[in-house]
Amino acid sequence: MRVVSGEGRLAVVVDGRVVDVERVSRGRFDADPQAVYTRWEEFVAWAAEEPGLQPHEASGPALDETELAAPVPEPRQIFAIGLNYQDHAAEGGLDAPEATPMVFTKFPTSVAGPYDEIPLPAGAVDYEAELVAVIGKRAERVSADHAWCHVAGLTIGQDLSERELQTGPPHPPQFSLAKSFPKFSPIGPAVVTLDEFEDPSDLEIGCRLNGEQLQKARTREMIFSVPRIIAYLSSVLPLLPGDLIFTGTPAGVGFTRTPKRLIAPGDELLTYVEGIGSMKHRFYAGPGR
Ligand code: ZN
């Protein structure tokens, strides 16, 4: 199942059509795309049986991905993992963590849609293509063996990062702030349930800036897999339905290149993950730039 936000309303894509969930469920499920994750198991069971969501029965407008909003618009928590691909750690001249992942947050006001235009703040803005796991069931002290059961689905994320604020000096390093400017956490186009993937642990991921391929990898190269990340995070605090986990970026980011490859006004960034689709973002000079 491919769950989207069509004009801010919860919808499922069936046969290339955007089927409105509140309408087809006659009000059983709310139109708010964020609310569904608190009733995820019930929603998935209903969707499997609902005649209006079966192929050839779907009714609704034809899908235009450029009109979709963030499929998970107001997560209570967003976790992000740093240095989760060996070759990305190496390009930054850093040792990858071995025992436990490096964790920071992207504050929830930074969430944006899969085709939004994004304002560039002053500084050095960089791209990071990432797989994002969406939590579908509260997770507290969950073992890696059971972790996938707590995932509603997967989506694509860009962990946009302003490197001067992120790394310092003269100020202290500010990972979480530097990755949380407005619209710095675009996600989408859909939350894709795990049954849609042959192997959700091994997907091609990458991005292209103005058509040039700058990142390309497979998610099996992660140092800490999605289940291991969930086991670690949930050993400290509860993961809540509708939370997001940005799982780290592979090699090829802009600020460790020579010369640096930073995002400029007018640039177009395409980010993709196999089996989910792609997002496309255009950037413009924002306030302060
Ligand atoms: Zn990242």
Side-chain angles (χ1 to χ4, degrees):
M1 182 165 48
R2 301 177 70 85
V3 178
V4 298
S5 171
E7 295 175 349
R9 292 175 61 86
L10 179 67
V12 177
V13 178
V14 183
D15 268 355
R17 304 212 159 264
V18 180
V19 182
D20 188 276
V21 169
E22 187 193 37
R23 179 182 60 76
V24 78
S25 74
R26 292 173 210 83
R28 175 171 168 184
F29 293 97
D30 196 88
D32 175 5
Q34 188 65 46
V36 72
Y37 296 99
T38 60
R39 295 167 67 192
W40 186 253
E41 277 177 274
E42 180 192 353
F43 174 70
V44 170
W46 165 80
E49 300 295 328
E50 168 55 44
L53 292 179
Q54 307 313 312
H56 312 299
E57 299 296 327
S59 69
L63 174 64
D64 176 355
E65 290 203 341
T66 65
E67 301 209 326
L68 296 177
V72 189
E74 293 182 306
R76 284 175 284 184
Q77 307 184 94
I78 305 177
F79 303 91
I81 307 301
L83 305 177
N84 201 23
Y85 289 78
Q86 197 69 51
D87 53 358
H88 171 59
E91 73 185 347
L94 298 164
D95 291 328
E98 286 173 9
T100 57
M102 173 196 181
V103 182
F104 51 91
T105 190
K106 290 170 76 68
F107 293 102
T109 53
S110 62
V111 169
Y115 286 84
D116 286 7
E117 300 213 335
I118 299 178
L120 288 171
V125 179
D126 201 355
Y127 51 84
E128 295 191 356
E130 305 204 5
L131 179 74
V132 173
V134 182
I135 297 297
K137 182 175 162 189
R138 184 181 173 101
E140 241 177 322
R141 310 193 68 78
V142 167
S143 71
D145 287 347
H146 288 108
W148 278 122
C149 301
H150 294 260
V151 175
L154 301 173
T155 192
I156 310 168
Q158 254 298 340
D159 178 16
L160 294 168
S161 306
E162 197 285 280
R163 301 300 191 190
E164 293 175 7
L165 182 58
Q166 180 186 341
T167 55
H171 47 71
Q174 298 283 11
F175 269 67
S176 297
L177 284 176
K179 292 162 174 280
S180 296
F181 285 89
K183 295 189 184 279
F184 263 34
S185 304
I187 55 168
V191 175
V192 180
T193 52
L194 301 178
D195 57 296
E196 301 272 341
F197 299 93
E198 198 172 306
D199 179 358
S201 302
D202 184 20
L203 305 170
E204 184 176 327
I205 181 170
C207 75
R208 294 197 274 272
L209 187 61
N210 300 332
E212 183 183 350
Q213 182 110 31
L214 294 175
Q215 291 188 288
K216 183 179 178 180
R218 298 200 68 88
T219 58
R220 66 161 184 262
E221 297 164 32
M222 285 181 192
I223 297 168
F224 298 97
S225 64
V226 170
R228 287 184 70 195
I229 294 168
I230 289 173
Y232 177 65
L233 293 173
S234 77
S235 75
V236 177
L237 47 63
L239 308 186
L240 307 175
D243 282 357
L244 303 179
I245 304 172
F246 281 66
T247 57
T249 200
V253 299
F255 83 124
T256 55
R257 289 173 179 265
T258 311
K260 290 186 195 321
R261 187 68 188 268
L262 300 166
I263 299 173
D267 282 355
E268 185 180 84
L269 181 64
L270 181 133
T271 311
Y272 67 88
V273 174
E274 176 185 359
I276 302 174
S278 60
M279 309 192 290
K280 197 182 279 182
H281 297 102
R282 188 168 289 281
F283 295 84
Y284 64 94
R289 188 175 177 102

